[in-house]
Every structure is written in structure tokens, then in C-alpha cells.
């Protein structure tokens, strides 16, 4: 009712546009060892531009009245299409030199969710995750089955080589050399080989919270390894009664500590604020366990959190007042 009155007043020009504005969005492009010393000005500018494009794409949709899931998918697709991020084009390589992509999405109003894991021929894994949520009775589809499902609903398969980039290939060669020399056939990934993911969380005009995450996973991963990103409760969670969370980091820890759901549960059952819940899980629980990474989150009031225990996390947000912030290192760039 209130919303209708606001909309009528807004449309008649009787209140400032800011009054009707109750949407918020936060995105991330992965956490990790991200140091200004290792960044060229050109590269930094390219990340800032891509993050801004992604967050503004989602925000515009939200302002135009799109549903949260549409905004989440659109923001993530900007990053899946950019070679800068470990998702879609630019995804890391598996040990065998392929790309196996994971993604998930969750709606905080219906608590419905969809995910795909280990897919090789789906151009936009986050779009496929949304299709699983909306067009199937399941929550998670994997590998060839997920690819067949995507094709059956009209998603044209792509060649796995579409996701190739030289930078990630070089990273694979380096990781493989070390893994083979150290004789650790099951892994032994170090530093940023464990990182890179994209995600978005939103509060839409209808009061719904939605979270989504998409990734290529871990460099040189083997044996069909799946991380936290497609696991509901670990890499992604949304509940209108608490918050929407998308995570990035060393997936094995995020699964074991069900990071995204833990943050929501702390708000729901302990009445923690979003800031306290996120901070405790990332900077206390995970730090004690030596799990590296971070999260972005938004709650039903539009409070925002972007918390990480690594040196950096690519991120951007537009709050309920329309303020845009972009960050890569500890401090926001434009604060
Ligand atoms: N969590 C992802 C994974 O483990 C990687 C990342 O977010 O950086 O697959």
C-alpha cells in the first residue's frame, strides 16, 4: 500500500525521486591477494570500469522495476563476458586444460534456488542456474545432465574454448609445474590459484533479496572438483528474513563452514546485525580455520556488507540512496 502511494506521488512529481528508491545492489569479482603494487594503472582502470558497468547494469534494472533475479543475472553476465574475471570467458583451466563452470542463484522470498556444477558448454552458467530454479523441479544439475537441460530449454551449446584466455593458460602451466614437481596429485594450489569468482546480491523494489554466484573455480582443479559457488548455503544464500549473500574464496572452507547460510542464520536466530554476522564469520570463524576469502551481502533494510580477510576483493555497490562505491584493495577507491 505504502509503495503504491509512494509510486503515485513520485509519478506526479510530488516527492523527490530519492523517496521511491528502495533498491540496493552489491557485486564482487573475486577475493584474493590483490595488491596495488602488482597492478598497473591500466589494469586497475579496466577492473574499475568493468565493476562499474556490472553494478550499474543491475541497478538500472532494479530501478526500472525488474525482479531481483533479473538484475542479479544481468550484473553477473557482464562479468561472465569480461575476460578479467574467473567466470565464463576468463575462467581458470582445469588440470586437463578445460573449463568447468559452476553457478547458483537463490530467491529470498520463495527460498527457491537453482545451480549448475561442472558445466563445459553453457555460455552463461548463471542464466542456466536461473533456468534450473524457474524451469525445473530441482536445485542442482551437474555436468552433461546440466548441459542437456540447458540445451533442452533453448540454450545453444558453445565450445569450451570460448572461455580461453592466455593469462589463465599461463597460470595453469605454472600451477601444473609446481603441483607435478611437488608430487601432490590431488591439488596443492597456492595463492590466487585458489581464487576468483563473481557474484551479485540485490534488494529489489518488491522487497525481495536475491543472491547469485558464478565461477570457473580453482586453477588446475581435478577429478570433477566442485567448489562452494554452486552449493546453496555455502557460496550463495538468500532469505528475506535475514539477508542475501554471495561468497568468494577457498571453496572447501566455505562449504565446510556453510558461510553464506551461517551469516543469514546469525541474523535470523541471534538478531545479529548484517555487519556483525558477516564480520564474525569472515574475520573470526574463517580466519581461525585459515579459510581465505570474503562475501558481499545486503539485508531487507538495504544495509550492505562487503567483508574479506584477504588483501583485496573486487567489488562495487550502489546503496538505497543511489551512492556508488567501487573497491579493489582494503579501502574503497572512491570514498
Ligand atoms: N569459491 C570459488 C571456488 O572455490 C573460488 C573463489 O571464489 O575465489 O571454486
Amino acid at each position: 500500500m505504502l509503495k503504491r502511494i509512494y509510486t503515485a506521488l513520485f509519478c506526479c512529481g510530488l516527492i523527490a525521486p530519492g523517496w521511491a528508491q528502495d533498491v540496493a545492489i552489491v557485486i564482487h569479482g573475486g577475493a584474493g591477494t590483490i595488491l596495488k603494487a602488482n597492478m598497473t594503472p591500466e589494469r586497475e582502470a579496466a577492473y574499475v570500469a568493468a565493476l562499474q558497468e556490472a553494478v550499474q547494469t543491475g541497478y538500472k534494472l532494479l530501478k526500472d522495476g525488474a525482479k531481483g533475479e533479473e538484475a542479479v543475472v544481468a550484473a553477473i553476465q557482464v562479468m561472465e563476458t569480461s575476460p578479467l574475471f574467473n567466470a565464463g570467458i576468463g575462467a581458470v583451466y582445469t588440470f586437463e586444460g578445460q573449463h568447468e563452470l559452476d553457478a547458483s542463484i537463490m530467491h529470498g522470498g520463495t527460498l527457491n534456488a537453482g545451480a549448475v556444477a561442472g558445466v563445459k558448454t553453457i555460455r552463461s552458467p548463471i542464466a542456466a542456474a536461473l533456468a534450473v530454479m524457474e524451469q525445473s523441479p530441482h536445485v542442482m544439475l551437474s555436468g552433461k545432465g546440466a548441459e542437456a537441460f540447458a540445451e533442452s530449454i533453448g540454450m545453444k551449446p558453445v565450445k569450451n574454448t570460448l572461455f580461453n584466455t592466455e593469462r589463465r593458460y599461463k597460470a595453469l602451466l605454472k600451477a601444473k609445474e609446481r603441483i607435478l614437481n611437488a608430487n601432490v596429485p590431488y591439488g596443492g594450489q597456492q595463492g590466487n590459484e585458489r581464487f576468483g569468482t563473481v557474484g551479485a546480491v540485490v534488494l529489489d523494489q518488491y522487497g525481495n533479496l536475491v543472491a547469485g554466484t558464478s565461477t570457473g573455480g580453482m586453477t588446475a582443479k581435478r577429478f570433477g572438483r566442485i567448489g562452494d559457488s554452486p552449493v546453496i548455503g555455502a557460496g550463495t544464500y538468500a532469505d528475506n528474513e535475514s539477508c542475501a549473500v554471495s561468497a568468494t574464496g577457498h571453496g572447501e572452507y566455505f562449504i565446510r563452514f556453510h558461510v553464506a547460510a551461517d551469516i543469514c542464520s546469525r541474523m535470523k536466530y541471534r538478531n545479529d546485525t548484517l555487519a556483525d554476522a558477516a564480520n564474525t564469520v569472515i574475520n573470526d570463524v574463517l580466519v581461525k580455520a585459515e579459510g581465505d576469502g570474503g562475501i558481499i551481502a545486503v539485508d531487507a533494510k538495504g544495509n550492505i556488507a562487503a567483508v574479506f580477510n584477504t588483501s583485496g576483493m573486487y567489488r562495487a555497490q550502489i546503496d538505497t540512496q543511489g551512492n556508488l562505491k567501487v573497491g579493489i584493495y582494503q579501502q574503497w577507491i572512491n570514498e
Side-chain angles (χ1 to χ4, degrees), residues 311-324:
S311 60
M313 180 170 79
Y314 298 105
R315 61 201 187 277
Q317 65 178 52
I318 302 180
D319 66 18
T320 52
Q321 304 304 306
N323 299 315
L324 166 73

Side-chain angles (χ1 to χ4, degrees), residues 35-262:
L35 301 167
K36 201 168 173 68
N38 299 337
M39 189 76 85
T40 63
E42 295 74 32
R43 201 165 168 74
E44 184 180 293
Y47 272 110
V48 169
L51 290 165
Q52 266 185 31
E53 185 191 341
V55 79
Q56 278 164 341
T57 298
Y59 183 71
K60 184 170 183 320
L61 282 167
L62 292 171
K63 291 289 287 176
D64 289 348
K67 290 189 282 184
E69 51 273 38
E70 290 172 55
V72 163
V73 169
I76 287 181
Q77 282 179 330
V78 171
M79 294 183 281
E80 284 181 338
T81 310
S82 164
L84 292 172
F85 304 101
N86 175 14
I89 295 166
V92 297
Y93 287 78
T94 63
F95 196 86
E96 289 76 23
Q98 299 241 307
H99 308 280
E100 292 177 3
L101 312 176
D102 306 328
S104 66
I105 190 163
M106 181 161 185
H107 190 282
T110 59
L111 299 186
N112 204 355
V116 293
V119 296
K120 295 183 186 171
T121 62
I122 297 178
R123 179 187 290 269
S124 172
I126 191 66
L130 179 66
V132 172
M133 176 169 106
E134 291 186 334
Q135 299 181 51
S136 91
H138 307 299
V139 169
M140 189 191 286
L141 300 179
S142 70
K144 288 205 180 314
E147 290 164 3
F149 166 75
E151 212 175 328
S152 78
I153 55 154
M155 291 184 175
K156 213 169 151 267
V158 295
K159 287 207 174 85
N160 195 248
T161 51
L162 173 76
F163 307 115
N164 285 0
T165 52
E166 198 190 335
R167 170 178 165 228
R168 300 295 188 192
Y169 190 63
K170 284 187 180 154
L172 170 68
L173 296 183
K174 218 168 133 193
K176 271 183 86 165
E177 197 187 335
R178 208 198 50 255
I179 288 167
L180 291 172
N181 283 342
N183 198 17
V184 279
Y186 296 104
Q189 283 84 350
Q190 292 179 357
N192 283 343
E193 290 162 9
R194 298 166 300 158
F195 300 123
T197 283
V198 307
V201 296
V202 304
L203 168 64
D204 72 15
Q205 282 195 16
Y206 314 100
N208 286 313
L209 297 171
V210 183
T213 311
S214 179
T215 191
M218 202 180 232
T219 301
K221 63 187 181 181
R222 300 187 84 169
F223 309 117
R225 180 265 186 190
I226 306 287
D228 60 310
S229 305
V231 178
I232 298 301
T236 302
Y237 202 77
D239 180 351
N240 282 1
E241 288 185 32
S242 53
C243 62
V245 181
S246 169
T248 167
H250 193 165
E252 280 68 11
Y253 289 83
F254 282 67
I255 293 173
R256 289 162 55 207
F257 290 88
H258 60 107
V259 165
D262 190 17

